Amino acid sequence: MASSLRLALLSLFILFFSFHSVSGLLTLPHPLDPLSKEEITLVQTLVLKKYPNSTHTLSFHYVGLDDPDKATVLKWESTKPHTVNISRRAFVIALVDTAIHELSIDLKLHSILSDNVHTGNGFPTLTIDEQTDAIELPLKYSPFIESVQKRGLNISNVVCSAFTIGWYGQEKSKRGLRVECFMKEESVNIYVRPINGILILVDLDQMKIVFYRDVSKEPVPSEDNIEYRASHMEPPFGPKQYSYGTFQPEGPGFKLDGHSISWANWKFHIGYDERAGVTISLASIYDLDMHKSRKVLYRGYISELFVPYQDPTEEWYYKTFFDAGEFGFGQSMVSLEPLRDCPPNAQFFDAYYAGRDGTPQYLANAFCVFEQYGNIMWRHTESGIPNEEIREVRTEVSLIVRSVVTVGNYDNIIDWEFKPSGSIKLGIALSGMLEIKAVEYEHKDEIKEDQHGTLVSANSIGVYHDHYYIYHLDLDIDGEENSFVKTDMKTVKVTDGSSKRKSYWTIDSNTVKTESDARIRLGTSPSELVVVNPNKKTNAGNDVGYRLIPSPAAHPLLVEDDYPQVRGAFTNYNVWVTPYNRTEKWAGGLYVDQSRGEDTLAVWTKKNRDIVNKDLVLWYVVGIHHVPCQEDFPVMPLLSIGLELRPTNFFERNPVLRTLSPKHVKWPTTCSSKQN
Amino acid sequence: MASSLRLALLSLFILFFSFHSVSGLLTLPHPLDPLSKEEITLVQTLVLKKYPNSTHTLSFHYVGLDDPDKATVLKWESTKPHTVNISRRAFVIALVDTAIHELSIDLKLHSILSDNVHTGNGFPTLTIDEQTDAIELPLKYSPFIESVQKRGLNISNVVCSAFTIGWYGQEKSKRGLRVECFMKEESVNIYVRPINGILILVDLDQMKIVFYRDVSKEPVPSEDNIEYRASHMEPPFGPKQYSYGTFQPEGPGFKLDGHSISWANWKFHIGYDERAGVTISLASIYDLDMHKSRKVLYRGYISELFVPYQDPTEEWYYKTFFDAGEFGFGQSMVSLEPLRDCPPNAQFFDAYYAGRDGTPQYLANAFCVFEQYGNIMWRHTESGIPNEEIREVRTEVSLIVRSVVTVGNYDNIIDWEFKPSGSIKLGIALSGMLEIKAVEYEHKDEIKEDQHGTLVSANSIGVYHDHYYIYHLDLDIDGEENSFVKTDMKTVKVTDGSSKRKSYWTIDSNTVKTESDARIRLGTSPSELVVVNPNKKTNAGNDVGYRLIPSPAAHPLLVEDDYPQVRGAFTNYNVWVTPYNRTEKWAGGLYVDQSRGEDTLAVWTKKNRDIVNKDLVLWYVVGIHHVPCQEDFPVMPLLSIGLELRPTNFFERNPVLRTLSPKHVKWPTTCSSKQN
C-alpha cells in the first residue's frame, strides 16, 4: 500500500515534470545543445525510478547528450526551417551498487532505451562528491591524526586532495583514490605545502581508507611568499598596470540563437559536455565569392589531457593523470571572472552538469565569447610605382570562445579563436600551481641524488612532468568526404648542369591511404598536412583544404610498453587521422580511470582503416615537457601554446580582400568636463 | 680661385653646421641613439669634402652609428648622471667611383678617423636611388619596348622592379641587378602581373643594361580580382567588422626619455639602423624582491633575412634574397598607419636614414610603441578547500614595439613584446604579395612538369620559397658573463624493480663548451636551451637564466654546398651561440650582395671559440617553408610565428605575484545623451 502510493506520487511527479519538460522542448533545442537543467532532472528521475535509493546505491558519473547520428544532424541542419524530427537522448554512466551501467535515455519519450553493464576494465569519471568524501576521511582517521601530531602540525589546518591511481599491471582493480594532504594555515596555496611521506589509499566503493603508511617525514615547506590573494598581501604592489576603457558602440558583432552563434562570416554551435568541456560544432564560413556557407568543422573539442609526472618513487609513481577521463574536463571548468578572465566586452554563458545524485549543478560564467581587436589582418605598402603612394592596411577583429578548466592545481585556459580569414586558432595556456614534493633540501648543492624535479624554493621540488592535450577535430572540409594529404618538401639535386643552382626543393603530395600511414611524428621532416575535399576543386584545379600549422612538437619520453604510456598511447604520434566513428570520442578510452589501454586511439587505428575520401577525424596532440622553474612558483605566469587550422586553397583567393577595418570611435567628452 | 672660393664657402658651411650640430649634441644623446638628421648631414658634408662630386662619383650605401665598445656603453650606463665622456662615431660604407670605402667618422671632432677600401668579395647594400634608376632603364631601351609591343602591351603601363642577382660560382663579380617588369593598368598590384620571359641585367656602375634576352612569351595574368585598395573596389564589402573605442584615462604606462623607454618593470632603448631596422638595447627588468634592475638583453635585432626561391630555371634561379644585407631592413621600413598598423593608443617614432647622396631621408611613423590589454597574466581557482571560494585572476598589460619592413612584395611585421613577467616575445608576421611567375596554364590538370610552385590563379604560379629570419640576441643575463646550458630530457628505464613504472624521464644539463657544440638543429630531441649566469645563483642554488621557447623549427632544404646555401649558411642550424665580438653583427656577412659566404656566422664559428662564462650572443633562426596557396593571393592574410625568451630561475619566484590587474574604466555617458 505504502509502496503503491509512492509509485502513484512518482507517476504524478513525472507527469507534471514531463509537461514542464515538453514545454521546454517546444523551444526546439539544437540537436547538439547540452542537456538543460530540466533534462538533467528528467534523467535523474528516470534512473531513480528504475534504481530507487531505497534499494540501491546510485551515483551518476556521466550525464550528457547522446548526440544524434551525424547524418541526422546534418540533415536537420540543411533543412530550413529545421522541421526534421530528431530524437533527443541522454547517455548516462551510473554506478548502481558497484556495477557500471550505461543507459541511453529518450528525453522526448521519457524512457530508458537501453541499460547495459560495462564489465571490461577501467572505471568511469570520478564524481566531485566522492572526491569530497574521500578527502575528508584522513581527518577522522586516527593513524593519520597521529602522523600529523607526530610532525607537530595542527590537524585543523590540514586539507586533503584526491588523486587517481593509474594502473600498473595488476590483474584485479578496484575503484580507489590516493589522498594526499596539505597545510592550509594563513595561505590558501595548499599545493606548495604538502605533508609528504604519508601513503593513503581510499576504497571508493566502501569509502574508507584501506591502506595507510607513514613512510618518511620531510618538512612541510614554509608559507613565506606563497600567498597569491592580493587581499592577503601587504603593499607594495607592482609593477603598476595602467587603467583602460573599451567600448563597442554598435554592440558586439555576433548574434546568438541559443547556443548557435553567427559572427562575421562564421556560424557555429558552442556546446558543453561535462567530460569534454566546450565543444565547437557545425562551424561553417560564408564564402563571399560563392555566395554560400561552406562547412569546415563538424565538431572539435579536447578529447583527453594526459599529465604523467616523472618521479618513479613509491609516493609519486602513480601520478599519471588523465584530466578529461578521470576528472571530467567540463565538470572541472570554473566560473570565469568578468573583466579579468575575459575582457569587458565578453558575454558569458552558464552550464549545468549532473552531480553524483543526478541533481543539476549550476556553473555560472562557464565560458565566454568576445571579440578581440588590434591585430593586423593584412597589409601592403607599395613603394615601387613612380609617383604613387600606396598603403592599405586592414585591422582584424577575431572572435574568441574561452573557458578555463582547473583540475586541482593547474588552470588550463582553452581558447577557440575564429578569424574572418578562415583561420581557426586553437590556444592552450597553462597557469595555476606546480605540484610540489617536500624535501629536506634548501639548496641545490645539498642534493646528491636525482630528485626528479627542480628545487623551486626551499624544501620544494617542482616535479618534472608533461602536459599532452589531444584535440578531436572532426573536419568536414566543404563536405563530409575528405582525404588527408601529406605534402613533403624534398630536396632535388641538379646534376645535369641545367641550372646554375646545385639544388632546390619541391613538393611531393600524397593522399594518405590508411590510418597507420597517417600517424605522424612531427619534426623529423618538413611537410604540410592538409585535410582536403578531393571532390571539390578550385577553379585552378587545387583540392580545397585546410592545413594544420602545428605547435612545436613534443614526443613521449616513456618507453612504449610502460603502463602509463600504454594508457596514454595516443601521444605516440602528434597527428592521427581516423574515419569518423560515432563511438570514437575519447582518445584514452571511455573508461579511463585505471584503464589498461584497450580502448585508445592507438588501438582503434590498428584496424588500419581506409581514410581516402571518407568522413575524417584529425587528432592532434599538443605537448609540453615541463621542467619547472622558480618563476612557476607559487603561481605560474601563463605559458601559451597554440596551433592553427588555416584554409589552403579552400577559397579562390584571400577571403578578406573585401573586408574593411573596424571604425575606431573616439572616447566621448564626459559631461563633467567643460563643453566646447 | 673659383676652387678656393668653393673651399671657403664649404668651410663656412661646416662651421655653421658644426655649431648647429654641437648644440644638437648638447642634448646628450644616448650612446646607442641612431644618427640624427644633423649627424647624417654632417657625415655627408665630411665625406663630400674628401671626395667632392666635382672629381668623384660618390654614393652612400650605409650610414649608421658606429656603436661604442660595449664596455664603454655599460660604463656610461652604470654611471648616473651619465657623465662618462663617450665618443660618437658614424660608420659609413660609400662607393667612391667604383671602390668600396669604409669610413669611421668622429661626430664630435668632425673628422674622418679612418678610410679603408674593401677589396674582398661582396658588395654593399643597395641604395634605393640606384634601384630607382635601374628600373627606369628598360622603359627607354628599344629591345624591351619592342618586346612589350610584340606582346600587345602598352609600355606606358609597364612598371619594373629590381632584384639582386646572388652569386653562382663565377670568379669575377660586378655590381649588377636583374630587372623584371610588370603591368600596372587599373590595379596597382604589380607583383601578380609579371611580364615573364624577359631577362634584363643592369650593370650598376655603368647604370646600363648589359644583357637582354626575350626568351618566352607567357601571357600576363589577368587583372581580375587582384585589386586590394578599397577605394578602387565596388561594394559589397564584407564581412563587416564592428566599431570599437579604447581609452587610457591615466595615459600610457610608459615614459620616454629620447629613445629610452621605461614601462612597468622594464627599461630599454629603441634604436634604428638603416640595415637592421629596429634594435632593442640595454633591456633590464626591475626585481621587486632584490630592489634593483637586472640586465637581460644588451642588444637584439634581426641580423639577416634570407629568402631563397625554389625555381632553378634561367628566369628564377638567382632569386635568393638577403633582405637585410642587400636591401637594408631599416631602409625598407615603411611608415605605419595610425589606428591600423598600430592600435589607437600607440605612439609613433620617426627615423632618418641616408639617401644615396648622403642627404637624410625622413621616415615618419617608422615604429610604434603601445600597450596591449586583455590577456590573462596568471590565475587560479581553488575549489579544494572546504567552505572557501578562491579565485584570483590577473590581467596582463604588455608593451609592444612594432615596425613593418616591406621589401618589394612582402611586408614583414616585426614585434617585440615585453611582459611584466619577464618574458620577451619576438613576433614575426608576413603579409603582402607572393612573387608570381606567369605561365600558360589556367588549370592544374594542364601542368605536366614541375612548375616550382602552386597555381594560385589562372596563369599565376606562386613559387615555393623559404623565409629565414635570424635574430642577433646579445643576452646579458644579470651581467655580461654568461654560459649556454643545454638541458636534455632523457628516458630512464627502470629494470631493477625499484618502481612500478618501467620508465620515467629526467634531465641532463650540460654547459656547452664551444661554438661548434652550441650549433643546434631543433626537433630531433627534446631539450631546454637556457642562457645562464653561472656566477649568480638563486637562493635555492639554481643558475639564473633565460630560456628560449622556440617556434616550430625549419631546416634548410638546399644542399650545403649550393651557392645560395653557402651564402646563407647561418640557416644550417636553428640555434648558434658565439662569444661577443663587436664586428660579428651580420649573420650573412657585412657585404652580402653577391657574397661568397666567406664572412658568415657559419665561418666565424669555425674558430670554435670557448663560450663558457663569456659575454655571449645567441642567434636564432625563425624559418618558414612557404608553399603558396590561393588564399595568399592577391594579398596574403597575416601568417604569424614567434618565439619567447622566458626567465628561468632568473627570479626567486613569479615576478608578477604582486602585480594588480589594470582597472577597467566604463564608457562615460556622453553629453548628447540624457543626464541622470
Side-chain angles (χ1 to χ4, degrees), chain B residues 295-411:
Chain B
K295 290 175 186 168
V296 176
L297 178 74
Y298 178 71
R299 183 164 258 199
Y301 58 90
I302 293 179
S303 172
E304 193 51 271
L305 168 52
F306 178 37
V307 187
Y309 282 78
Q310 302 299 336
D311 183 334
T313 62
E314 185 60 22
E315 285 180 61
W316 275 73
Y317 77 89
Y318 67 89
K319 294 194 171 186
T320 52
F321 307 120
F322 291 82
D323 283 351
E326 293 175 346
F327 296 99
F329 219 52
Q331 183 177 261
S332 303
M333 275 165 59
V334 295
S335 289
L336 301 173
E337 183 163 327
L339 302 182
R340 299 272 179 273
D341 277 316
C342 310
N345 57 320
Q347 286 196 23
F348 293 83
F349 297 80
D350 303 334
Y352 287 93
Y353 62 91
R356 175 170 55 182
D357 66 357
T359 307
Q361 306 292 308
Y362 176 60
L363 179 64
N365 295 354
F367 57 93
C368 71
V369 176
F370 60 91
E371 287 172 296
Q372 182 165 278
Y373 287 81
N375 287 322
I376 298 171
M377 177 184 267
W378 57 261
R379 83 175 313 290
H380 185 59
T381 297
E382 184 53 63
S383 318
I385 301 178
N387 310 319
E388 293 207 43
E389 272 190 38
I390 296 144
R391 182 178 61 208
E392 287 281 316
V393 188
R394 295 292 184 281
T395 307
E396 179 182 79
V397 186
S398 65
L399 186 77
I400 296 182
V401 180
R402 175 170 294 168
S403 60
V404 174
V405 182
T406 304
V407 185
N409 52 320
Y410 271 116
D411 297 60

Side-chain angles (χ1 to χ4, degrees), chain A residues 234 309 380 411 491 557 658, chain B residues 234 380 411 491 557 658:
Chain A
E234 293 295 321
Y309 282 78
H380 184 59
D411 298 61
T491 301
L557 288 159
R658 307 181 68 86
Chain B
E234 293 295 320
H380 185 59
D411 297 60
T491 302
L557 288 159
R658 306 179 70 84

Side-chain angles (χ1 to χ4, degrees), chain A residues 184 191 225 228-230 234 236-247 249-250 253 309-310 312 317 335 337 340-341 344 373 376-382 388 391-395 397 406 408-409 411 431-432 443-444 450 455 464-466 489 491 499 501-507 538-542 550 552 557 559 561-562 625 629-631 633 635 637-638 646 649-654 658-665 667-668 670-671, chain B residues 184 191 225 228-230 234 236-247 249-250 253 309-310 312 317 335 337 340-341 344 373 376-382 388 391-395 397 406 408-409 411 431-432 443-444 450 455 464-466 489 491 499 501-507 538-542 550 552 557 559 561-562 629-631 633 635 637-638 646 649-654 658-665 667-668 670-671:
Chain A
K184 191 251 147 194
Y191 304 105
N225 295 312
Y228 55 89
R229 290 172 300 175
E234 293 295 321
F237 293 96
K240 175 175 161 72
Q241 303 196 107
Y242 283 63
S243 57
Y244 72 114
T246 57
F247 187 53
E250 302 174 274
Y309 282 78
Q310 301 300 335
Y317 77 90
S335 289
E337 183 163 326
R340 299 272 178 273
D341 277 316
Y373 287 81
I376 298 171
M377 178 184 267
W378 57 260
R379 82 173 316 289
H380 184 59
T381 297
E382 184 53 63
E388 293 208 44
R391 182 178 62 208
E392 287 282 316
V393 189
R394 294 294 184 279
T395 307
V397 186
T406 304
N409 51 320
D411 298 61
S431 190
H443 193 280
K444 198 180 172 188
D450 192 352
L455 191 69
Y464 308 137
H465 58 281
D466 306 297
M489 290 150 219
T491 301
S499 172
R501 294 267 281 268
K502 295 183 182 177
S503 62
Y504 61 94
W505 62 260
T506 190
I507 62 167
T538 62
N539 290 337
N542 295 304
L557 288 159
V559 298
D561 67 341
D562 200 355
H625 300 302
C629 63
Q630 291 189 218
E631 285 80 1
F633 180 93
V635 59
L638 235 60
R646 190 172 170 107
N649 304 318
F650 183 86
F651 294 104
E652 285 294 328
R653 64 188 61 80
N654 177 347
R658 307 181 68 86
T659 306
L660 302 179
S661 298
K663 281 205 191 99
H664 181 254
V665 183
W667 196 258
T670 58
C671 297
Chain B
K184 191 249 148 197
Y191 303 105
N225 295 312
Y228 55 89
R229 290 172 301 176
E234 293 295 320
F237 292 95
K240 176 177 159 74
Q241 304 196 107
Y242 284 63
S243 56
Y244 73 113
T246 57
F247 187 52
E250 301 174 274
Y309 282 78
Q310 302 299 336
Y317 77 89
S335 289
E337 183 163 327
R340 299 272 179 273
D341 277 316
Y373 287 81
I376 298 171
M377 177 184 267
W378 57 261
R379 83 175 313 290
H380 185 59
T381 297
E382 184 53 63
E388 293 207 43
R391 182 178 61 208
E392 287 281 316
V393 188
R394 295 292 184 281
T395 307
V397 186
T406 304
N409 52 320
D411 297 60
S431 190
H443 193 280
K444 197 181 172 187
D450 192 351
L455 191 69
Y464 308 137
H465 58 280
D466 306 297
M489 292 150 217
T491 302
S499 172
R501 294 268 281 269
K502 294 183 183 177
S503 61
Y504 61 95
W505 62 259
T506 191
I507 62 168
T538 62
N539 290 338
N542 294 304
L557 288 159
V559 297
D561 67 341
D562 200 355
C629 63
Q630 291 189 218
E631 286 80 2
F633 181 93
V635 58
L638 236 60
R646 191 173 170 106
N649 304 318
F650 184 86
F651 295 103
E652 285 295 328
R653 63 188 61 83
N654 177 346
R658 306 179 70 84
T659 306
L660 302 179
S661 298
K663 280 203 192 102
H664 181 255
V665 184
W667 192 258
T670 59
C671 298

